Amino acid sequence: MSAPTGLGSFYRQQLSWKGCGGGFQCTTAKVPLDYAKPSGQKIGIALIRLPARDKSERIGSLFINPGGPGGSGVGFVRQAAEAFGSDLRKRFDIVGFDPRGVGQSDPVHCNTGPQLDAFFAADSSPDDQKETAAFAADSKEFAHNCGAKGASELPYVGTVNAARDIDVLRAAVGDKKLTYYGASYGTYLGAFYAQQFPSNVRALALDGAVDPTTSSTGLLVEQAKGFEAAFRAFANDCVKKPNCPLGTSTDAAMTKLASFLAQTDKKPLSNTRDTRQVTEALAVMGIASALYLKENWPVLRQGLAQAFQKSDGTLLLTLADQMVERRPDGSYSNQTDANMAVNCVDKPNPASAKAYGQAAAEAKRVAPHFGPFVVWGGLPCVYWPVQTKTRPTPVTAKGAKPILVIGTLRDPATPYKWAQNLASQLSSGVLLTLDGDGHTAYLQGNPCITRATDDYLLNADPPKPGTICR
């Protein structure tokens, strides 16, 4: 298979893998910063792999992306490679990579720890023009910091280029076709890969799908609805248990949450870890963080009880810090900077804070507890130094082998209808459904999902369309 014109040296590069602890091997691949100018500046893409256990039955490499955008595939594979099915571990090298601008791959770094602390604590559900102007100023500062520190890289960190990088990596590890598991944003990245390289698809499992046709603000509105539905599911479970801090009925629980957030907006909570105040925005972030995994529901019950009964936001703050990868020393990974950098250049953004406010108002109407926070959090994109005019369009990947799309009915971050939409857009899409809670389905321990996904990745043979796992 020949390399695209001008890219032969990248496709034919020899990777130098070296042991990096725990049975893993690490290396760095080179890709062009700008694919239109392949002889120009080059950037490094960090990779890690856990070699297949049985070389005699090895199929190739299983590339992994954990989402974000901004999630480190290197870190994810180091932590989770052993959680993949034993047959996958036997027959595939499990390969993680940090997409361009992320982690160890020429990372975008814009903001200091204190600057991010201030941004996350800021009032991102403004109630009047004064509060709106204050958050707009914070968002302008975020965007300015990125423009000042990463201007040369920002135009090229988007998903289209990251997908092209994957094809270079596929060739560099010696695979003729791509086998890939992408979670959350990783589904968007995988779909863009299939759109650009349909004939190079062997098997793509896209778990917790993102709908490529949604606008930048439309995506946030739908995501807010997902968190609203997920919290209602949590509340419905909580009120059936003794000592639920939300009361004894689901409707009462939603009312109590609204009252708690309004009170915290006026008077932030204390915490016992450091000097930060737990503002309304941080409290919402902590709640949202716990909704990603159903296993965290007991922690959320404890955190809400602590907050309601003692005005202590320590546990909610801990959950919020986990979500944005804030370390105990006050520093952050580059997840937040990279997340904003990719999202802001992937799709057109509203032209002003006023236009953005219209989306926030819609979000508040359909997701009153989470909508404003989710939507206003993307406001820096309005002021981003790099903008695109490329409108979202359906991804069809015409000519690709069957692509598995996995959706969870009550997923807080990637609503189920996105999986339905992506599966229907893809010319070879096959939908697999988990009737369950939490973000994404694979690696959550459901035997039906695990078996269907593993069989597909091993044999490129998808389950029957419309299969539902419970």
Side-chain angles (χ1 to χ4, degrees), residues 10 31-34 36-43:
F10 297 101
V31 297
L33 175 66
D34 180 359
K37 300 176 182 177
S39 61
Q41 184 179 344
K42 300 172 180 59
I43 58 174

Side-chain angles (χ1 to χ4, degrees), residues 156-440:
Y156 308 105
V157 298
T159 300
V160 170
N161 285 319
R164 296 194 69 172
D165 294 341
I166 294 176
D167 204 52
V168 172
L169 302 180
R170 171 200 60 76
V173 300
D175 286 3
K176 292 182 178 180
K177 306 276 186 178
L178 179 71
T179 306
Y180 173 88
Y181 168 79
S184 194
Y185 163 78
T187 68
Y188 191 67
L189 180 57
F192 267 76
Y193 178 89
Q195 183 79 341
Q196 295 182 81
F197 306 100
S199 63
N200 292 353
V201 169
R202 178 186 170 274
L204 307 185
L206 308 180
D207 183 10
V210 175
D211 180 359
T213 65
T214 55
S215 68
S216 59
T217 52
L219 184 147
L220 295 173
V221 171
E222 290 299 320
Q223 193 172 61
K225 288 166 64 176
F227 280 108
E228 196 82 15
F231 186 84
R232 179 171 284 275
F234 159 77
N236 189 51
D237 177 79
C238 181
V239 298
K240 296 173 184 175
K241 292 178 166 42
N243 302 318
C244 172
L246 292 168
T248 57
S249 77
T250 303
D251 287 342
M254 303 306 283
T255 300
K256 190 163 186 177
L257 174 64
S259 176
F260 164 68
L261 295 178
Q263 183 179 347
T264 308
D265 188 26
K266 295 184 177 66
K267 184 180 180 181
L269 307 174
S270 61
N271 91 91
T272 59
R273 286 175 44 206
D274 54 38
T275 59
R276 285 177 294 164
Q277 290 188 314
V278 183
T279 63
E280 182 187 17
L282 286 172
V284 170
M285 188 188 299
I287 294 167
S289 175
L291 296 175
Y292 274 74
L293 279 176
K294 190 172 183 179
E295 288 76 9
N296 285 337
W297 285 8
V299 181
L300 180 54
R301 284 199 303 273
Q302 184 182 350
L304 290 174
Q306 190 181 68
F308 291 177
Q309 298 163 13
K310 301 179 181 178
S311 296
D312 182 353
T314 302
L315 198 45
L316 292 181
L317 183 64
T318 300
L319 289 164
D321 286 351
Q322 290 173 358
M323 188 173 186
V324 293
E325 296 186 4
R326 185 187 191 272
R327 305 181 185 101
D329 65 1
S331 65
Y332 287 75
S333 76
N334 92 308
Q335 174 190 277
T336 297
D337 290 339
N339 180 280
M340 202 73 73
V342 175
N343 282 333
C344 291
V345 300
D346 265 359
K347 298 178 179 182
N349 300 294
S352 66
K354 181 178 180 180
Y356 214 91
Q358 294 171 356
E362 168 65 9
K364 186 173 184 177
R365 185 182 69 80
V366 297
H369 302 87
F370 294 89
F373 301 94
V374 174
V375 172
W376 280 114
L379 186 61
C381 289
V382 168
Y383 311 106
W384 209 248
V386 182
Q387 298 286 338
T388 182
K389 295 181 180 179
T390 304
R391 297 283 169 185
T393 57
V395 171
T396 61
K398 188 176 181 180
K401 295 286 181 64
I403 296 172
L404 181 63
V405 180
I406 310 170
T408 301
L409 288 185
R410 293 174 295 281
D411 189 312
T414 50
Y416 177 66
K417 78 173 191 176
W418 287 355
Q420 294 176 301
N421 292 349
L422 179 59
S424 65
Q425 288 170 41
L426 290 166
S427 61
S428 60
V430 177
L431 180 63
L432 173 65
T433 300
L434 174 63
D435 182 357
D437 301 279
H439 183 39
T440 72

Side-chain angles (χ1 to χ4, degrees), residues 119-131:
F119 180 76
F120 287 128
D123 189 344
S124 54
S125 61
D127 300 314
D128 54 39
Q129 188 55 45
K130 182 179 178 181
E131 290 183 355

